[in-house]
Amino acid sequence: MSIPIAKKEDGPKKFINGYGEVEWLAGVHPLVHSFKCELKAGHTVKPETFEDKTAVYCFVKGTGYITTSEKAYNIEELAFFVPDFDHDTFSIYAATDLEIVKFVVDMLESDKAKYRSSHMVLPMFKTLSTAEKYTQACKGPHTTSWSIINPGKIGRILMGVVKGVGVGEGTVEKGHPSVDQWNYILEGSDILMTVAGEQVHHHEGELSYIYAGPDHSLVPAGAGKTVFYIWFEHQTAEYKPE
């Protein structure tokens, strides 16, 4: 097995009005599409909105703000935004160069039905400092975990952040056959990732994919090293048309 990893240098090369994006790890999953986006300082972009796709924006570097028809949100640290589908438009302004990881998820009819039954009120904006912390047995004793999207709140999506420093920290997890997982490695990290016995050095600015099932771990690469990453999970589904 070769672990799919998008490299930092594989970011956007073409920019229009200061904005560029490129799909990362294209084809690894039929419903989830991941993108690396960059918005240059002083520029504004008005992203596409979707009627039946969930979009999740992770602001991983830089500062700026988001505006909707009703509110503005300051981007001053690691931040996350989920727009209200196509019910409203929004714009992103970059005060300094912004780096963004975007996930666009196709919704099955069963996802739409579940969403109509119960869901998080959108739009959602959350920063790392306002996110709730949680503990988990598969994490190191001094590793901090934050919840960004809880199960059942936006279709099949779950998302969180993990940070730990030093030997014995990070995540060592038994395989979860019910979810596929993406990992975006944040600034300052030096990580050893193991999936089904295969080990790779995972660097900041990279995105990896772990298919549902195998045991996996993301731990600091040595004494004094940091593990700091966003995990994005999608509950497995039958991909045939419903």
Side-chain angles (χ1 to χ4, degrees), residues 21-228:
E21 72 172 39
V22 63
E23 185 169 3
W24 265 0
L25 303 180
V28 300
H29 196 284
L31 298 179
V32 181
H33 310 276
S34 54
F35 300 84
K36 179 62 182 297
C37 314
E38 295 181 16
L39 182 62
K40 300 299 184 182
H43 288 271
T44 299
V45 65
K46 187 176 181 180
E48 179 182 6
T49 58
F50 306 98
E51 177 185 4
D52 58 354
K53 301 176 188 288
T54 307
V56 179
Y57 292 79
C58 309
F59 296 90
V60 298
K61 186 176 290 188
T63 60
Y65 56 80
I66 303 164
T67 56
T68 68
S69 63
E70 297 184 350
K71 195 169 183 179
Y73 306 92
N74 288 326
I75 302 164
E76 299 175 327
E77 59 175 304
L78 181 62
F80 306 88
F81 180 71
V82 181
D84 189 12
F85 295 92
D86 62 351
H87 300 150
D88 194 8
T89 60
F90 68 99
S91 298
I92 303 169
Y93 172 78
T96 63
D97 289 353
L98 276 176
E99 294 186 17
I100 306 163
V101 177
K102 177 176 70 173
F103 296 95
V104 177
V105 182
D106 297 336
M107 296 181 73
L108 300 172
E109 290 303 319
S110 56
D111 300 330
K112 298 173 188 176
K114 182 184 293 186
Y115 186 84
R116 288 191 295 269
S117 174
S118 176
H119 63 266
M120 176 185 290
V121 174
L122 300 177
M124 180 212 83
F125 178 79
K126 187 179 291 187
T127 63
L128 187 63
S129 62
T130 61
E132 64 181 352
K133 296 179 182 179
Y134 70 95
T135 61
Q136 196 174 15
C138 63
K139 302 292 196 301
H142 304 294
T143 296
T144 304
S145 300
W146 295 264
S147 177
I148 306 301
I149 300 176
N150 288 317
K153 298 304 182 183
I154 309 179
R156 298 175 186 272
I157 296 170
L158 307 86
M159 186 165 66
V161 177
V162 174
K163 186 174 186 180
V165 180
V167 176
E169 300 304 323
T171 304
V172 179
E173 191 165 12
K174 297 294 292 182
H176 35 60
S178 62
V179 292
D180 295 88
Q181 179 172 321
W182 290 254
N183 308 287
Y184 180 78
I185 309 305
L186 293 163
E187 190 172 14
S189 292
D190 191 357
I191 293 174
L192 287 178
M193 181 171 74
T194 305
V195 180
E198 179 183 349
Q199 188 174 85
V200 295
H201 209 81
H202 209 351
H203 303 278
E204 66 175 78
E206 296 179 341
L207 180 73
S208 60
Y209 169 70
I210 304 171
Y211 66 90
D215 296 350
H216 54 275
S217 63
L218 291 95
V219 299
K225 302 295 185 180
T226 296
V227 56
F228 188 24

